[in-house]
Amino acid sequence: REKRPPAGPVLHIRVDTADGAIDTSRTLFVGNLAFEVSEEQLRSAFADCGDIDGVRIPRDRITGRGVGVGYVIFRDKSGVAKGLGLNGSAIPGVKKKREMRVSVCKKQKKKKTTMTTEMTLRVSGDRRGG
């Protein structure tokens, strides 16, 4: 007998490590996405390229809408090579057709941040300089 998966929606859950390290050699950066694109739509668009470990679409904290970019993480590097072939194509099923910009994810250099403290000094006393 052939085992079949249970009927109903499929959920994909990804748990990241605390350090947030991502293997960029297995990850595609996808730009120019419509803000309404879901993780499932992005996953479906790249499903034929290879086994996918995870999909991430950064979202605006207030509106919950996508910010126009996403990441597709493959189990191995061969999926990345096939996924690059989707550069310039649109995601099926999305109302607003936009050509995806697909590239290999690059490690971001950590930006040095400088903390600036602004202080206002209030001087009490005689203003005449005395």
Side-chain angles (χ1 to χ4, degrees), residues 6-59:
V10 176
L11 299 175
H12 300 281
I13 298 173
R14 179 172 174 82
V15 178
D16 290 324
T17 58
D19 64 3
I22 294 175
D23 182 359
T24 55
S25 67
R26 297 182 302 119
T27 305
L28 287 178
F29 172 81
V30 185
N32 200 36
L33 294 175
F35 299 130
E36 296 77 21
V37 169
S38 70
E39 283 82 358
E40 283 303 314
Q41 288 171 317
L42 187 58
R43 179 183 288 274
S44 294
F46 286 88
D48 291 339
C49 299
D51 291 332
I52 297 174
D53 258 354
V55 173
R56 187 170 90 80
I57 296 177
R59 300 198 172 277

Side-chain angles (χ1 to χ4, degrees), residues 57-75:
I57 296 177
R59 300 198 172 277
D60 181 271
R61 290 182 193 166
I62 297 169
T63 65
R65 291 175 52 179
V67 296
V69 300
Y71 301 90
V72 180
I73 306 162
F74 290 94
R75 288 226 170 96

Side-chain angles (χ1 to χ4, degrees), residues 96-126:
K96 192 171 186 180
K97 297 291 181 198
R98 299 178 83 166
E99 292 182 0
M100 293 185 289
R101 289 192 306 263
V102 181
S103 62
V104 177
C105 189
K106 297 176 185 172
K107 286 188 178 181
Q108 293 288 329
K109 292 181 182 178
K110 290 187 177 182
K111 295 180 181 179
K112 291 184 180 180
T113 57
T114 307
M115 181 179 272
T116 304
T117 305
E118 186 175 307
M119 298 172 70
T120 303
L121 299 176
R122 297 191 187 274
V123 181
S124 61
D126 190 4

